[in-house]
Amino acid sequence: MSTTTLNGTETTVDVAETDSVQAKPHKPTSEEIYEVAADYYEFIRDTYTGELYAYSRETGLCEPLVSRGAFAARVVRLAQLKHGRIPRSQAVAEAITAMQGEAANAPSRPIHLRVANKDGVTWLDTGGDKLILVNAGGYTTAPVTDGFMLFRRTPVMEELPEPEEGMFDWMPGVGRLWEIVNVQGPYRLLLLGWIVHCIINEIDDFPILLIQAEQGSGKSFLLRILSRLIDPSKDNGGSLPQNEDALAVSALNTRLLLFDNISRIPPQKSDLLCRVATGGTVRRRKLYTDAAEGVYSIRRPVIITGINLGTMNNDLAERIVKIELKRPLDSQRKALADLEDKWKATQGEIFGALLLLAAQVQDVLEQGRVDGVEVPRMTGYGRMLAAIDLLTSQREDMPATHCLNDYRDQQKGMSLEMVSDEPVWLALDQNRSMFTVKLEDVTSNELLRKLQGTFRLEPQELGTWKKPPQSAADLTRDIDKCAPSLRQAGWNITYRLGTGNRSGQRLWTIQAPRQEGIE
């Protein structure tokens, strides 16, 4: 028998013996390498990505089944301990190819990164030797090695805080969080709902968290604290991904994507972020291949910090929840070292409080107590806020909250801000009386003629620097861009496709909001 350490776990290897005398050491063949690896690993295929993994029966964790890197090194070590000699690289490659063949033909199993959902239970991989189980009854722990849920880990992952046990109320622990981070007013519950939404949901629509403030307001510190509560990693936040491949690599290796001190989001990167927030496919070249391409469907929570991102498109704005930080006065500023010490002293209580709140929210959602609530586009997050509103309304030690309404108001304000300098928006607003009575079945060309007088105004008179639409096609495109914001402001804008002489043309129905809805 021989003992070694693999993946942080002490492993005993049966060494070949004959008549109590160790067999003569020899370089193991590919078949012998395969056999020794199969004693410790099960070869499987991931349901989500189709990637191939080796599941360790001793550690309870999965690692990529590739012919280079840490897994190959462990296989070499196992074979060396078993047979007394280091195997040839060609034999190792052949053995791992055989393992890949077995994994590719095996029934797929879901392999999770940090969070897993099944049968009303959320499983959190702490990054250590435990899993945390959260359900409507509370939270508890289980060993990683129980094998009920399969997790993989990446080199950048770090451990979650150890939650305090025996907690009965989430409010005091959450209060400790507000003592550390510079978040005030209604933003607190918007942020709290976002954290809990990320903790208990593996696959859902995740609003992009935008932390916006002046320099010196604690944006980067808040980003680090949120990372430690959701997905601790060595990544402290960098620039936006350069392309789809870079985004795929980041999303496959970390559950929480962090982008710190961003000044603007170009359209192409805006589209990538939208796909990550609400689900979409990304492509990347498979590891250690020249041409094979992997296509992955990825949803990940995203945090972006910046002073002011400026103009962004409506698609991205609809996927954002914004947290604005006030710059503290010099007399209110706290030393970073003191905040870090306070975090270390209270992190278990804070994390335990968030888990307890997550369990109570899970109970509300499972009972269907917010099923009839109208929610915005990011429905999962909206339901989360509705559940928190319901829980706070039942408490006697705090006033009832309206964080879902706060989120709706924020969405409306951001939506209107995004189109405030659009010529079509300004023209419709200036001609509001024309649309008090519903205008039906008007073509884009007819609508352009009705608004032509306004579009002929000088830009400063119209209140924008942008060029107004010059054709019916331009107007159609600009209405499509502004329609979500117009509806947020109470306008009725729909269309149908015409027939006959108007076949294929859009026929618009437009009506201005009622007088009491005017801002």
Side-chain angles (χ1 to χ4, degrees), residues 78-117:
L78 285 170
Q80 180 192 15
L81 290 170
K82 177 78 173 180
H83 298 285
R85 297 280 299 277
I86 297 174
R88 293 184 176 86
S89 58
Q90 180 64 32
V92 174
E94 290 174 356
I96 293 180
T97 298
M99 299 173 204
Q100 291 171 338
E102 180 172 332
N105 290 306
S108 67
R109 297 178 64 183
I111 300 174
H112 311 276
L113 181 68
R114 188 68 80 177
V115 181
N117 295 131

Side-chain angles (χ1 to χ4, degrees), residues 25 105 140 161 173 178 215 262 276 284 308 324 338 377 396 413 437 462 484:
N105 290 306
T140 185
W178 306 139
Q215 184 178 358
I262 304 303
V276 171
R284 69 173 295 249
N308 193 321
E324 294 187 355
D338 293 340
R377 175 171 183 173
E396 297 180 354
V437 177
L462 186 57

Side-chain angles (χ1 to χ4, degrees), residues 138-379:
Y139 63 91
T140 185
T141 60
V144 174
T145 52
D146 70 0
F148 185 69
M149 303 296 283
L150 303 185
F151 286 91
R152 62 184 177 91
R153 293 179 181 171
T154 66
V156 299
M157 283 180 64
E158 295 184 340
E159 290 191 41
L160 285 165
E162 184 172 347
E164 187 173 304
E165 297 182 0
M167 300 185 69
F168 297 98
D169 187 4
W170 56 268
M171 181 65 74
V174 170
R176 301 285 184 270
L177 177 63
W178 306 139
E179 293 172 6
I180 295 174
V181 299
N182 178 31
V183 180
Q184 305 296 328
Y187 294 118
R188 287 184 171 182
L189 287 178
L190 292 180
L191 179 59
L192 186 62
W194 188 85
I195 296 171
V196 174
H197 183 61
C198 294
I199 286 176
I200 67 172
N201 288 297
E202 178 184 13
I203 300 174
D204 205 325
D205 292 347
F206 295 103
I208 297 169
L209 185 70
L210 172 60
I211 303 172
Q212 190 165 289
E214 294 180 34
Q215 184 178 358
S217 301
K219 299 186 299 295
S220 296
F221 179 72
L222 174 58
L223 178 142
R224 291 197 297 273
I225 294 298
L226 294 176
S227 172
R228 294 168 187 173
L229 290 169
I230 297 170
D231 182 34
S233 76
K234 297 181 177 67
D235 178 15
N236 290 321
S239 58
L240 293 170
Q242 293 300 312
N243 50 46
E244 193 170 278
D245 186 77
L247 176 66
V249 171
S250 296
L252 287 170
N253 283 290
T254 54
R255 181 167 185 270
L256 177 63
L257 304 182
L258 308 175
F259 305 110
D260 197 16
N261 288 315
I262 304 303
S263 57
R264 61 183 293 270
I265 302 178
Q268 182 182 12
K269 295 181 181 180
S270 174
D271 293 342
L272 286 176
L273 292 171
C274 288
R275 282 152 58 191
V276 171
T278 52
T281 57
V282 294
R283 293 179 173 84
R284 69 173 295 249
R285 186 174 67 84
K286 286 194 173 183
L287 195 62
Y288 306 127
T289 67
D290 294 323
E293 185 179 60
V295 179
Y296 307 98
S297 178
I298 293 174
R299 294 185 192 184
R300 292 283 188 266
V302 176
I303 303 178
I304 299 173
T305 74
I307 295 175
N308 193 321
L309 297 187
T311 303
M312 66 182 76
N313 65 38
N314 259 311
D315 275 351
L316 183 60
E318 285 187 343
R319 291 167 169 83
I320 280 180
V321 55
K322 183 165 62 174
I323 306 297
E324 294 187 355
L325 310 183
K326 289 185 177 180
R327 192 175 191 276
L329 300 173
D330 291 341
S331 60
Q332 299 172 323
R333 195 173 298 280
K334 300 175 183 178
L336 183 60
D338 293 340
L339 292 174
E340 286 286 357
D341 288 343
K342 197 162 189 176
W343 160 255
K344 290 175 183 176
T346 60
Q347 59 181 323
E349 182 181 2
I350 293 171
F351 190 49
L354 293 171
L355 295 177
L356 185 59
L357 176 58
Q360 293 182 13
V361 165
Q362 193 110 317
D363 185 40
V364 169
L365 296 176
E366 286 182 7
Q367 291 184 35
R369 296 169 66 188
V370 297
D371 285 355
V373 176
E374 183 180 345
V375 293
R377 175 171 183 173
M378 307 302 284
T379 57

Side-chain angles (χ1 to χ4, degrees), residues 7 9 55-62 109 112 114 123-133 140-153 157 159:
N7 243 4
T9 300
Y55 166 68
S56 169
R57 299 185 181 92
E58 290 194 334
T59 67
L61 297 170
C62 300
R109 297 178 64 183
H112 311 276
R114 188 68 80 177
W123 303 68
L124 302 176
D125 178 12
T126 64
D129 59 357
K130 295 179 181 178
L131 302 175
I132 298 173
L133 285 66
T140 185
T141 60
V144 174
T145 52
D146 70 0
F148 185 69
M149 303 296 283
L150 303 185
F151 286 91
R152 62 184 177 91
R153 293 179 181 171
M157 283 180 64
E159 290 191 41

